[in-house]
Amino acid sequence: MENLISLVNKIQRACTALGDHGENTALPTLWDSLPAIAVVGGQSSGKSSVLESVVGKDFLPRGSGIVTRRPLVLQLHKIDEGSREYAEFLHLPRKRFTDFVAVRKEIQDETDRETGRSKQISTVPIHLSIYSPNVVNLTLIDLPGLTKVAVEGQPDSIVKDIEDMVRSYIEKPNCIILAISPANQDLATSDAIKISREVDPTGDRTIGVLTKIDLMDKGTDAVDMLEGRAYRLKFPWIGVVNRSQQDINKNVDMIAARRREREYFNSTPEYKHLAHRMGSEHLAKMLSKHLETVIKSKIPGIQSLINKTIAELEAEQTRLGKPVAADAGGKLYSIMEICRSFDQIFKDHLDGVRPGGDKIYNVFDNQLPAALKRLQFDKQLSMENIRKLITEADGYQPHLIAPEQGYRRLIESSLITIRGPAEAAVDAVHSLLKDLIHKSISETVDLKQYPGLRVEVGAAAVDSLERMRDESKRATLQLVDMECGYLTVDFFRKLPQDVDKGGNPTHSIFDRYNDSYLRRIGTTILSYVNMVCATLRNSIPKSIVYCQVREAKRSLLDHFFTDLGKMETKRLSSLLNEDPAIMERRSALAKRLELYRSAQAEIDAVAWSK
């Protein structure tokens, strides 16, 4: 039993040290899943005295009004007989208190540090562990006493604030409620019973404690309450007799106080038959035994939560990435691996494994043909333009057979306009490749870890694309220029001649400048230009793919890799500088994982040993 409760205490301490406890959060945590006992009662109900009786030490602040102004998470640890008892605060690690007067002062001082020297309250708990051979393993949470009115120096909201704080603890399904009520008051007015009934109407989680039994009016007793006839709970009521104020003033020790408590119940006729289950010692043992039973019943749920949390933490740890290597070689290797991951994602987009590459095909299949159609060569080959260029090409000597120079000038002036759509196709593909670069960077998990490297890789990739775009534009425009620079002779040789088709050779050469003749020239040139367009419609995409898409797949980061090999360790380190928040988060995750894996192993061991 003691090993099981000690294990829970250990896990709770670890949770608290890591800030992984359930206070002030709606998220379920390991702390929330571990059973604990919350001590609830009205002001001056004897709550502090009960706690001190259980511990066997004077250590809680005393006084009038609200003395407990912050939750006190009190963990009791039984140690070997003869060992010296001591206390430790979570906020003062490695400092042991052997003087419990100093423990009381530190509780007061720590409360004041959080709330100031006022009567304000705070939800931030104080965590105190007491190690003693005279205690049982137990976790108790002492909460501020419930009150009905605000007194001088307190805000009007104090009544609701305290109730909300108490409720936030006792509403948790794994919380055991220790409801403290004074026997010399009507149970119907008990603050502890009222709030306990609201959150635990069946009484399955509530243990009732009656204090001040020895202070009841003569002729009255608490038998009906202790036997459950006044208010029935699932568990029997336990009566305690605390030290009187006179005892406290005289520093009567707890051992003597417990002895007098036993004598009171054994010697009082009304309570003699109940003496075996009365008193602080019985209360402590009963709570420890009950806590053990509850823990055992909760083990499957605890295991499930631990396993789920470990999986979530491991997933987040994977998303955050591995810590940075210390040496230059390790840093360089890490950068290269991250770059390869980015490069592969970029290739996956181009190859259709990931979406985006299909937009490049759309440039070739739709945008380029549409741009070529918009050139409207028929306007370029209007009658006026043909007559003008043909006449200008003749110069002072009119052509004898066919206006070849005029043909050439008309064809060149038409084909040169294809440079515009060709250049636009290069730029469109460049823009799409840049978009895929940014998309691939955002999809490379490790690059999120290193903002500096992310910027450098993005800049290097875009620089490479710009070099490829320039080369692609040069090569693609050369295709157009080649068509302008050399005309396909066979096309014109296959055209019907005037004589062959019945033309009249006796007509004057100059008669051929008539509209019919010029239209024939325009039709011929348009046929040739359309043939060239059809050819370029196929060859321009090939040039772009070869110079941009294929080259980007092959050597996108080659220049960056060359520069990496020349970088000094300091420069490599700057590329792997992480966001401090990520580093802090990874460190916290590692500690939490260590805690949860340790808890998993220990809880599993307990479960298997049952």
Side-chain angles (χ1 to χ4, degrees), residues 392-432:
E392 288 176 353
D394 281 349
Y396 73 92
Q397 175 67 60
H399 63 271
L400 299 176
I401 304 299
E404 180 176 327
Q405 289 302 319
Y407 267 90
R408 289 185 180 278
R409 288 188 183 182
L410 283 167
I411 291 172
E412 288 172 7
S413 66
S414 297
L415 292 181
I416 202 73
T417 61
I418 300 177
R419 288 173 64 95
E423 194 169 2
V426 171
D427 289 336
V429 171
H430 175 72
S431 179
L432 290 173

Side-chain angles (χ1 to χ4, degrees), residues 339-375:
C339 290
R340 289 190 186 100
S341 297
F342 156 75
D343 196 44
Q344 186 57 52
I345 291 173
F346 177 71
K347 290 176 182 176
D348 288 346
H349 280 293
L350 292 176
D351 293 337
V353 179
R354 296 171 184 252
D358 55 306
K359 293 181 180 178
I360 294 175
Y361 175 71
N362 183 61
V363 172
F364 303 146
D365 196 47
N366 293 308
Q367 294 181 33
L368 177 61
L372 292 174
K373 283 183 181 179
R374 286 195 297 271
L375 291 176

Side-chain angles (χ1 to χ4, degrees), residues 328-564:
K331 292 179 189 295
L332 181 60
Y333 177 79
S334 297
I335 293 173
M336 295 287 285
E337 284 297 297
I338 293 170
C339 290
R340 289 190 186 100
S341 297
F342 156 75
D343 196 44
Q344 186 57 52
I345 291 173
F346 177 71
K347 290 176 182 176
D348 288 346
H349 280 293
L350 292 176
D351 293 337
V353 179
R354 296 171 184 252
D358 55 306
K359 293 181 180 178
I360 294 175
Y361 175 71
N362 183 61
V363 172
F364 303 146
D365 196 47
N366 293 308
Q367 294 181 33
L368 177 61
L372 292 174
K373 283 183 181 179
R374 286 195 297 271
L375 291 176
Q376 298 179 330
F377 295 117
D378 54 339
K379 291 185 179 180
Q380 178 75 17
L381 299 172
S382 65
M383 295 287 288
E384 292 77 14
N385 203 38
I386 292 173
R387 180 179 285 108
K388 179 176 179 293
L389 288 180
I390 290 291
T391 304
E392 288 176 353
D394 281 349
Y396 73 92
Q397 175 67 60
H399 63 271
L400 299 176
I401 304 299
E404 180 176 327
Q405 289 302 319
Y407 267 90
R408 289 185 180 278
R409 288 188 183 182
L410 283 167
I411 291 172
E412 288 172 7
S413 66
S414 297
L415 292 181
I416 202 73
T417 61
I418 300 177
R419 288 173 64 95
E423 194 169 2
V426 171
D427 289 336
V429 171
H430 175 72
S431 179
L432 290 173
L433 290 173
K434 276 179 67 176
D435 289 343
L436 292 182
I437 290 290
H438 297 313
K439 196 175 184 66
S440 300
I441 285 175
S442 68
E443 292 173 0
T444 306
V445 175
D446 290 336
L447 281 178
K448 296 177 182 178
Q449 188 175 342
Y450 308 110
L453 180 59
R454 183 169 64 242
V455 171
E456 290 286 340
V457 169
V462 171
D463 284 346
S464 292
L465 288 185
E466 288 175 352
R467 283 192 293 270
M468 295 168 192
R469 177 193 58 188
D470 294 343
E471 176 59 27
S472 178
K473 194 169 288 188
R474 185 188 65 78
T476 303
L477 294 180
Q478 275 185 340
L479 290 177
V480 180
D481 294 343
M482 281 188 274
E483 292 291 349
C484 296
Y486 183 80
L487 306 183
T488 305
V489 178
D490 287 346
F491 177 86
F492 295 97
R493 284 176 177 170
K494 292 176 182 178
L495 292 175
Q497 301 299 313
D498 282 350
V499 175
D500 297 337
K501 294 299 179 181
N504 188 349
T506 63
H507 282 178
S508 165
I509 291 297
F510 299 101
D511 290 341
R512 295 186 176 185
Y513 285 91
N514 61 36
D515 289 351
S516 176
Y517 180 57
L518 294 176
R519 273 195 296 273
R520 182 179 173 188
I521 290 175
T523 302
T524 300
I525 291 173
L526 183 60
S527 297
Y528 183 78
V529 170
N530 285 335
M531 179 195 75
V532 172
C533 268
T535 301
L536 289 175
R537 177 177 172 176
N538 293 322
S539 58
I540 286 174
K542 292 180 180 180
S543 172
I544 292 173
V545 168
Y546 183 82
C547 295
Q548 288 175 269
V549 180
R550 179 176 170 273
E551 192 64 17
K553 287 178 63 177
R554 188 184 70 83
S555 61
L556 183 65
L557 294 179
D558 280 7
H559 284 82
F560 182 64
F561 289 152
T562 301
D563 293 340
L564 274 180

